[in-house]
Amino acid sequence: MDSLTSELDYQDNGVEDLDFNLGKLDLTSQEFLLDEVDEHIQANLEDDIVKEALKTGVDLRQYSKQVESELLDVENLSIKDYIKESKNIASLHKQITACDSILETMEQMLNGFQGDLSSISNEIQTLQQQSIAMNVKLRNRQAVRGELSQFVDEMVIPEAMITHILETAVTERHFLEQLHELNHKINFVKEQSFKEAKSCSDVKDILDKLKFKAIAKIREFLLHKIYQFKKPMTNYHIPQNAMLKFRFFNEFLMANERHVAREIRDEYIDTMHKIYYSYFKSYSSRLMKLQYEEVADKDDLMGVEDTAKRGFFSSKPSLKNRSTIFTLGNRGTILTSDLESPIIVPHAAQKSEAKHSFESLFRSQHYALLDNCCREYLFISDLFMVTGSAAQDLFNHIMGKTLAKFLKNMDMYIAECYDSIAIFLCIHIIYRYQVLMHKRNVPALDKYWETLLEMFWPRFEYILHQNVHSIKVIDPSKFGHIDVRPHYITRRYAEFSAALVGLNESFPSDKVERLLAMLQAEVENFILRMAAEFPQRKEQLIFLINNYDMMLSVIMERTTEQSKESEGFKDLLSARTHEFIEEILSPYFGGLIGFVKETEIAIDRGSAENLKYQEGRVQQIIRGFNADWKKAIELINQEVMRSFTNFKNGTQILQGSLTQLIQYYHRFHKIMGQSPFKNMACRTELINIHHVMVEVKKHKASF
């Protein structure tokens, strides 16, 4: 307490001897720089208290003393609080001293623990190093053991392998399994021998003996299966399937004894090429005997007259099984529903005495070829493990002679063929079979198909050029009496053109379109030449309209799209129909029609006043029309319906004629309502146009 009292006394004395250190604000300091006074003053003036003091006019000296007094009071109060809590401070001091001693004891204990832990950590590190070393040794030993164990297993030849290779039949599952294992061991020993493994010499002799035994048994089995192909009436698909089941046999031979594998392959090629050649030669010769006896010849052309030709259009009665050369008929089914139908069986067809067209025989022959070639190509690719050009070469060795025979037969046939529809159908059969083989992913016959097309297309063009020429050289005078009905040559053309256009829609060819355009041009010229044989223009127009209408109807009926041929005939039919309407109206209403046309031209030129002296002509026209118009309409109706073979077309022409008559009469009424005709007395005699329209409606078609 004495010490505290003395301290307080000292502090009291200190209060009396206060020495304020004002720092930079001490104006009495010698170190104070007068040039900084302004800066400090400006800074202090920004203070809110100073601003308030200056604002209220407070005396700064008095205010400074007041602040010093308040600071002294605060300091005295703080000293009293300190004296008041002196006991608590002394107690706190003792407690802090006791804590220091306790913490010192704990520090000594922790230092001891730290020393113990350091020694334990060293021991753990030592044990860890020993453990790592032991793990490395263990892994190395396990790796060596695994490699050595696998090596021994690969080298050792088990008793079961020897037994099965020597005694088990090659068709047994155990033989095939052991053959796989034997092949693996042979490859392994071969690999190790390059690494100079000493143990290879211990097993090489046994492996060679097992290999030769396995090769001998496999060779015998495969040759036996190939020899089965040679037996008469054998379905060679069965032994082929058996060979595919054991395709690994050939793989084993190719890997271990190539000359034996080559022997097997050569024997198979020699056997199969003879089988295919014999089969297809026999099938083709027997198939061609089923063709219709009546075939087209050089005289069966479109422009040849019926009375001058023999064969299809001769005076002889046609046989019921004869196929036509200008009409497609049901022959188009060969490209749709019959394209992949079962092939024709010759002996069955002979029993039923059934005959077929050439394209039907062509389809059957080539569908059989396609099916066998697809199967054969896939078989040799799988069995002999070949692809691309190697597979194609192998296939050519087997099927080359057969394909050459087919090409020779086709070349001989088409050289004498004049049935262009049959050839065109064969061309489209080839296109579809090309697509079918590509879907099966078999390119084996691509070159064969192209060769066939190169044979068929020139012949097709030659036959069409012959038909075009036959129409071009026709002399209409040789036909004798002709009538206005459609000519049989235009009927042939219509059927023929519709057939080619319809077939060409699926695989469009510019070549066919050009040929058809040439043929159409010659047919149009022929029709005009034939029409010129009629003395009257009306008969010429009827003949032209009947022929154009017939050709247009046939082409539109047989085709699904708007063709160039149909568009051309539509234009021709429309032009000739319009001309015929004018021609048929002229005998009955020619005066009225001529007057309307002349007057309209005069009105357009502004010279209508020159016609005011034609009242007599107008009166004659009106009275003539009033007297005969109903009878004239009836006569027109009878003549039109009698002239045209197509009732629907005749009805349309009649309606067009009557419609044109109404239009002329309406134009006549319009003229009569203008100067100088509107003041004519005969104008009152005009029949109301509605009466004419009512009469016309009586002849309107009821369908």
Side-chain angles (χ1 to χ4, degrees), residues 289-501:
K289 294 178 182 179
L290 303 176
Q291 187 177 0
Y292 289 124
E293 295 178 0
E294 303 85 5
V295 294
D297 57 27
K298 62 181 180 179
D299 294 325
D300 292 309
L301 299 174
M302 193 175 297
V304 177
E305 303 97 313
D306 276 344
T307 57
K309 62 189 288 294
R310 298 176 181 178
F312 280 97
F313 299 96
S314 67
S315 57
K316 298 179 181 179
S318 61
L319 300 179
K320 63 179 181 180
N321 290 328
R322 182 192 299 172
S323 62
T324 178
I325 58 173
F326 296 116
T327 304
L328 184 62
N330 294 327
R331 299 169 73 181
T333 58
I334 202 76
L335 302 178
T336 54
S337 58
D338 295 337
L339 184 65
E340 298 183 44
S341 297
I343 63 174
I344 298 172
V345 181
H347 67 270
Q350 287 174 353
K351 286 182 180 180
S352 62
E353 298 183 355
K355 294 294 183 179
H356 300 271
S357 60
F358 173 73
E359 67 270 11
S360 179
L361 303 179
F362 179 87
R363 182 213 69 87
S364 180
Q365 184 179 5
H366 283 81
Y367 188 62
L369 178 68
L370 177 148
D371 201 38
N372 282 276
C373 287
C374 285
R375 182 180 179 85
E376 189 63 31
Y377 182 85
L378 296 175
F379 172 79
I380 61 177
S381 299
D382 195 0
L383 182 66
F384 298 109
M385 298 180 296
V386 289
T387 57
S389 59
Q392 186 66 49
D393 292 341
L394 192 57
F395 175 83
N396 290 338
H397 281 99
I398 296 172
M399 298 299 299
K401 189 176 180 181
T402 302
L403 298 179
K405 179 67 175 177
F406 270 31
L407 291 174
K408 183 179 179 181
N409 292 342
M410 289 299 106
D411 189 40
M412 292 175 59
Y413 173 79
I414 65 175
E416 301 297 329
C417 178
Y418 285 86
D419 188 351
S420 53
I421 290 183
I423 291 182
F424 198 55
L425 285 170
C426 291
I427 290 173
H428 279 262
I429 289 172
I430 293 171
Y431 285 149
R432 284 160 174 79
Y433 281 168
Q434 281 181 314
V435 173
L436 182 59
M437 291 198 71
H438 288 165
K439 287 181 179 179
R440 297 184 183 183
N441 199 25
V442 177
L445 292 180
D446 285 354
K447 187 175 180 181
Y448 173 76
W449 298 130
E450 293 299 328
T451 306
L452 276 182
L453 291 173
E454 290 173 0
M455 294 166 58
F456 277 100
W457 271 117
R459 187 62 185 179
F460 176 75
E461 294 180 35
Y462 171 77
I463 297 172
L464 256 69
H465 282 298
Q466 289 296 102
N467 280 286
V468 171
H469 179 72
S470 69
I471 296 174
K472 186 176 182 179
V473 298
I474 290 177
D475 183 3
S477 62
K478 292 182 179 181
F479 284 101
H481 175 71
I482 56 176
D483 55 32
V484 295
R485 292 176 298 178
H487 200 271
Y488 61 84
I489 290 181
T490 58
R491 166 66 70 173
R492 293 176 190 172
Y493 163 76
E495 295 285 352
F496 182 75
S497 178
L500 295 191
V501 171

Side-chain angles (χ1 to χ4, degrees), residues 687-699:
I687 295 176
N688 193 304
I689 192 172
H690 295 290
H691 294 311
V692 180
M693 294 177 66
V694 170
E695 186 66 25
V696 165
K697 287 181 179 179
K698 294 179 181 179
H699 298 276

Side-chain angles (χ1 to χ4, degrees), residues 581-637:
I581 289 173
E582 295 291 330
E583 192 72 24
I584 200 172
L585 291 177
S586 181
Y588 306 103
F589 306 102
L592 184 146
I593 294 172
F595 177 78
V596 168
K597 291 180 178 179
E598 293 173 8
T599 305
E600 286 179 341
I601 294 174
I603 292 174
D604 291 340
R605 292 176 177 176
S607 57
E609 291 297 327
N610 298 333
L611 301 175
K612 62 183 178 179
Y613 302 108
Q614 297 191 15
E615 183 174 357
R617 180 185 177 188
V618 173
Q619 184 177 8
Q620 183 181 359
I621 291 173
I622 294 174
R623 291 178 179 177
F625 181 86
N626 294 346
D628 300 328
W629 68 275
K630 288 186 179 181
K631 182 179 179 181
I633 290 176
E634 184 62 32
L635 291 174
I636 290 173
N637 175 59

Side-chain angles (χ1 to χ4, degrees), residues 143-204:
V144 171
R145 178 184 176 184
E147 293 289 338
L148 186 59
S149 176
Q150 184 179 359
F151 182 84
V152 173
D153 290 340
E154 299 286 357
M155 281 290 183
V156 171
I157 302 175
E159 188 68 25
M161 177 184 292
I162 299 174
T163 302
H164 287 303
I165 294 296
L166 296 178
E167 300 177 1
T168 304
V170 294
T171 55
E172 296 291 332
R173 179 176 58 85
H174 295 295
F175 179 84
L176 187 60
E177 291 175 353
Q178 294 302 324
L179 187 66
H180 278 279
E181 188 64 25
L182 175 62
N183 188 59
H184 177 71
K185 288 184 180 296
I186 291 172
N187 293 331
F188 179 77
V189 170
K190 188 183 297 184
E191 180 184 349
Q192 294 302 320
S193 63
F194 290 116
K195 300 179 181 179
E196 300 181 354
K198 301 296 183 182
S199 57
C200 293
S201 58
D202 297 335
V203 297
K204 189 176 185 303

Side-chain angles (χ1 to χ4, degrees), residues 99-115:
C99 287
D100 286 341
S101 62
I102 294 171
L103 291 174
E104 184 178 359
T105 304
M106 291 181 66
E107 183 179 5
Q108 294 174 357
M109 292 173 62
L110 291 174
N111 288 333
F113 289 154
Q114 185 177 9

Side-chain angles (χ1 to χ4, degrees), residues 677-688:
F677 305 104
K678 63 181 179 179
N679 297 322
M680 291 183 180
C682 60
R683 183 169 177 270
T684 58
E685 301 178 21
L686 283 173
I687 295 176
N688 193 304

